[in-house]
Amino acid sequence: MFKPHGSWQYAIEAPVIYIKISGCFNREGVLGFVKDVQTAISALPVGTIEQAVIHLAEFELATADSLTIAREYFRGVKERGYKQVDYISTSAIAKSILESVWSGSGMNINFYSTAHNYLADYPDRVYVKNWL
């Protein structure tokens, strides 16, 4: 077993969860992220979270085994009531990987090149301004 790699921050402002992912992730890092976020969300009434906004400007890399876990977790968000996932500052490589993860899921997935672009569509989402 390896030490977890990768870091994350999140804030819940229902119906949205804002997530900031940083660094390189291994399997243990993704498992830690999933456990942390699931614990926080499980304390809320079912259906509270409908949208995830994930900021990836500081994301660097993920191992193949960590992507398998991430794929399983993110595929399950639709069953948990999520309707939309927005990614901010996604590199071309990360976008390609994420498009493959979500392919055929039926989820509404959006990619924004910058937080400013995201805020143009959602000017009321003040929390995102903390990432600028």
Side-chain angles (χ1 to χ4, degrees):
M1 183 136 201
F2 295 99
K3 273 178 54 177
H5 291 276
S7 61
W8 60 90
Q9 298 171 344
Y10 64 89
I12 298 171
E13 293 185 12
V16 181
I17 181 169
Y18 297 95
I19 302 168
K20 184 176 183 181
I21 303 291
S22 304
C24 300
F25 275 78
N26 63 359
R27 178 181 187 279
E28 292 76 14
V30 173
L31 287 171
F33 163 77
V34 168
K35 181 180 178 186
D36 192 17
V37 171
Q38 283 182 331
T39 299
I41 291 173
S42 69
L44 302 171
V46 174
T48 298
I49 304 299
E50 297 179 354
Q51 181 181 6
V53 177
I54 304 171
H55 189 262
L56 295 173
E58 297 175 10
F59 173 73
E60 296 172 16
L61 179 65
T63 61
D65 58 346
S66 69
L67 289 174
T68 300
I69 295 164
R71 182 175 286 115
E72 291 170 13
Y73 174 74
F74 285 119
R75 289 236 173 189
V77 299
K78 188 171 186 176
E79 288 81 40
R80 293 190 292 275
Y82 288 54
K83 297 178 177 136
Q84 179 174 324
V85 179
D86 296 321
Y87 290 97
I88 299 173
S89 299
T90 310
S91 71
I93 293 170
K95 182 178 179 188
S96 175
I97 291 168
L98 291 166
E99 286 174 334
S100 116
V101 165
W102 290 108
S103 177
S105 70
M107 281 291 292
N108 182 16
I109 306 300
N110 301 294
F111 294 94
Y112 295 88
S113 58
T114 67
H116 291 291
N117 292 11
Y118 177 81
L119 287 168
D121 284 352
Y122 298 97
D124 60 325
R125 302 280 172 89
V126 177
Y127 186 83
V128 174
K129 292 180 182 179
N130 295 334
W131 291 336
L132 299 176

